[in-house]
Structure formats: C-alpha cells, structure tokens
Amino acid sequence: MTDIIDKAAMGLSAGLMLLGTVGMGILEILVGPPYSPVPMTNEAGDVIATPLISPQIRTGVVLAGVAVLGLYAAYKIATPLAEDAKTGHETVAD
C-alpha cells in the first residue's frame, strides 16, 4: 500500500544516504591516496594532500537523506489513513 509520495521519499532518502557513504567513498578510492578525511601535512606543516570530497559535504548529504525520512515521518503522522478517512471511523478514547 505505497503511493507515489512513499516511493519518492524512500528513493530520495536511500539515494542520498548511499551517495554520501558508498558513492563518494568509491570515488575517493578510485582517485587514490590519501584516504584520510583530513588534509595530510609534512613535518614542516605544509599541506601536501587533501581528500577529494570534504567530510562536511559527505556528512551533509547523508544528513539530507535522514532529513527526508524525518519529513516523510511527519507527513505520515499528519495525514490520516485512507481507510479511516473514507469510512469516517473514529477511535474511542478512554
């Protein structure tokens, strides 16, 4: 019982999280060393190598995927179930 919003939210959030972890990780490996998330320096303190994609960007992409899931959860809480809306079913509180 998934509609277009369910599929879009699941696809977008999964895509963003996979891009941030797996996709950008594979890209870093293909480019080659350094694999460190921080710039590498020599003994004089000069930066000799930096990662291709900043860790802040990768984290931001993953958090965007989590935010999409949060918005989807808020949407599902705010909208009533289709069966309850059709039949006018009300729940009885104690």
Side-chain angles (χ1 to χ4, degrees):
M1 293 183 25
T2 59
D3 59 356
I4 191 73
I5 294 175
D6 297 335
K7 291 178 184 176
M10 289 186 283
L12 181 62
S13 64
L16 285 171
M17 287 189 276
L18 283 174
L19 176 68
T21 54
V22 178
M24 291 183 189
I26 289 174
L27 189 61
E28 288 279 345
I29 290 172
L30 291 176
V31 170
Y35 301 119
S36 172
V38 296
M40 297 175 70
T41 59
N42 60 10
E43 296 198 12
D46 299 329
V47 175
I48 56 173
T50 59
L52 177 67
I53 301 168
S54 170
Q56 289 85 2
I57 293 173
R58 291 180 71 175
T59 303
V61 171
V62 172
L63 288 177
V66 173
V68 169
L69 281 179
L71 291 172
Y72 173 64
Y75 163 77
K76 289 304 270 187
I77 290 171
T79 57
L81 292 175
E83 298 86 29
D84 291 342
K86 283 185 217 172
T87 59
H89 176 70
E90 293 182 11
T91 58
V92 179
D94 291 331

